[in-house]
């Protein structure tokens, strides 16, 4: 999952983007699009796949911080700051992974990306930010695309598929809590580097997910090579490599280009869902996907400001 910038104070890069930065952003978005595929391939419960994603990713991030010599002592304040984003992300992953298993990786990933509209509305209410000029038309367009994709077939879906759609939309709320609390913690309230704070938060999230597995009596044992390889790829590629690529390249690219490239995530997830898992797809579904992605991009797009 990836968030598009809705901050009106975010700087707009005016120089021509470097090819290496563009390729890094594309690679990061492509890896993120594969995370939902790994959830399906792992063939474990949604809470179990979420637990191992956070566990493997958190250990790898903290190990990378140690190897690069950026480790700082973790204090009680850092742990408290990481608790809310950890719980928010745990809720998001529980809902999103369940949605993936019930409606497929493509639609579930698209549904979660509707969080960009929630973030924008929270920015207006809590931070007095201005909405992008095309926010409301973009939201209407995105909702129209969503209706073409799932609403037009609603009567044909079984109960689990319908619930999976609602879980995908509900994951937006938890993901918004995660993004806002994570942003707040990194805005001068923690002395840890972003990678170390993300690693700490990931392990706290894994602890919450592990507790949920115990409550639901889901076994955390991985007994197949396919399960181990899929979850290792989910944690290392999706949680570590993808975000390192995105975080390194994002500040050097125009915000409009970043938004466009990050939309590769739900688009590729949908294509992979069709190609790998044979998702039944008609022309109306492809139209809905394109319209929804266009609406998300339009809703967060801002014209280049004068210097």
């Amino acid at each position: 999952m990836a968030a598009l910038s809705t901050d009106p104070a975010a700087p707009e890069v005016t120089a021509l983007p470097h090819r290496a930065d563009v390729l890094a952003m594309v690679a990061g978005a492509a890896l993120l699009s594969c995370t939902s595929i790994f959830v399906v391939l792992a063939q474990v419960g949604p809470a179990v796949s979420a637990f191992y994603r956070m566990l493997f990713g958190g250990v790898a991030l903290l190990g990378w911080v140690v190897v690069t010599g950026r480790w700082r002592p973790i204090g009680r304040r850092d742990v408290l700051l990481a608790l809310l984003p950890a719980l928010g992300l745990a809720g998001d992953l529980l809902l999103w992974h369940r949605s993936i298993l019930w409606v497929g990786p493509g639609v579930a990933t698209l549904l979660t990306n509707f969080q960009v509209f929630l973030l924008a509305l929270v920015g207006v209410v809590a931070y007095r930010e201005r909405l992008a000029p095309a926010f409301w038309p973009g939201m209407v367009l995105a909702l129209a695309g969503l209706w073409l994709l799932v609403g037009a077939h609603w009567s044909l879906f079984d109960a689990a598929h319908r619930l999976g759609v609602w879980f995908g939309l509900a994951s937006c709320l938890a993901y918004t809590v995660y993004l806002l609390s994570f942003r707040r913690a990194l805005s001068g309230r923690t002395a840890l580097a972003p990678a170390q704070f993300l690693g700490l938060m990931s392990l706290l999230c894994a602890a919450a997910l592990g507790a949920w597995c115990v409550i639901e009596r889901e076994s955390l044992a991985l007994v197949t090579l396919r399960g181990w390889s899929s979850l290792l790829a989910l944690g290392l590629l999706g949680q570590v490599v993808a975000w390192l690529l995105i975080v390194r390249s994002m500040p050097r690219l125009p915000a409009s280009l970043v938004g466009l490239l990050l939309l590769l995530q739900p688009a590729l997830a949908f294509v992979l869902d069709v190609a790998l898992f044979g998702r039944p797809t008609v022309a109306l579904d492809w139209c809905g996907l394109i319209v929804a992605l266009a609406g998300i991009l339009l809703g967060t797009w801002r014209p280049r400001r004068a210097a």
Side-chain angles (χ1 to χ4, degrees):
M1 294 170 290
L4 306 184
S5 174
T6 58
D7 187 354
E12 182 76 22
V13 180
T14 56
L16 290 175
H18 195 278
R19 180 179 297 179
D21 295 323
V22 174
L23 292 176
M25 179 65 69
V26 169
L31 287 175
L32 280 179
S33 71
C34 295
T35 55
S36 55
I37 304 301
F38 293 137
V39 171
V40 177
L41 292 176
Q43 295 183 330
V44 296
V48 176
S49 59
F51 167 78
Y52 280 108
R53 171 179 180 167
M54 290 295 102
L55 178 65
F56 294 152
V59 170
L61 277 167
L62 293 182
W64 182 79
V65 172
V66 172
V67 169
T68 56
R70 300 180 182 180
W71 180 268
R72 292 185 180 182
I74 298 176
R76 180 182 178 184
R77 176 181 175 83
D78 301 314
V79 175
L80 292 177
L81 285 172
L83 275 178
L84 182 57
L87 293 175
L89 186 57
D92 165 59
L93 291 177
L94 283 172
L95 293 166
W96 183 49
H97 284 196
R98 198 174 296 273
S99 179
I100 290 172
L101 297 178
W102 286 355
V103 303
V107 174
T109 304
L110 177 66
L111 292 171
T112 301
N113 273 268
F114 272 70
Q115 49 78 24
V116 298
F117 297 110
L118 289 179
L119 279 176
L121 293 175
V122 170
V124 171
V125 175
Y127 302 106
R128 297 182 179 180
E129 297 175 352
R130 292 177 299 170
L131 289 174
F135 174 83
W136 293 113
M139 176 179 281
V140 171
L141 193 62
L143 290 175
L146 182 62
W147 184 87
L148 291 174
L149 197 57
V150 297
H153 314 298
W154 192 257
S155 61
L156 303 178
F157 295 152
D158 58 23
H161 195 105
R162 294 180 184 180
L163 192 57
V165 172
W166 291 117
F167 277 166
L169 289 173
S171 69
C172 298
L173 296 173
Y175 196 50
T176 300
V177 171
Y178 158 66
L179 290 173
L180 290 174
S181 55
F182 189 76
R183 171 188 176 185
R184 180 179 177 85
L186 290 181
S187 60
R189 289 174 172 80
T190 177
L192 301 181
Q196 185 176 358
F197 187 79
L198 180 59
L200 170 64
M201 187 277 303
S202 298
L203 292 184
L204 291 174
C205 182
L209 292 166
W212 183 264
C213 290
V214 172
I215 294 173
E216 287 198 328
R217 297 182 178 180
E218 287 195 56
S219 174
L220 292 173
L222 298 179
V223 296
T224 65
L225 178 60
R226 179 174 178 172
W228 274 105
S229 58
S230 298
L231 294 176
L232 278 171
L234 180 64
L236 299 182
L237 297 180
Q239 190 67 13
V240 180
V241 178
W243 279 109
L244 288 178
L245 289 170
I246 289 174
V247 170
R248 283 173 175 267
S249 57
M250 185 181 292
R252 296 191 288 266
L253 295 174
S256 56
L257 181 59
V258 169
L260 180 62
L261 294 178
L262 284 179
L263 284 182
L264 286 173
Q265 182 200 358
L268 288 176
F270 192 90
V271 172
L272 290 173
D273 190 6
V274 174
L276 297 179
F277 304 115
R279 181 190 188 277
T281 308
V282 297
L284 192 65
D285 296 325
W286 291 109
C287 290
L289 174 67
I290 294 171
V291 171
L293 292 176
I296 293 173
L297 180 62
L298 180 63
T300 56
W301 177 79
R302 291 179 178 276
R304 187 183 299 275
R305 297 185 300 274

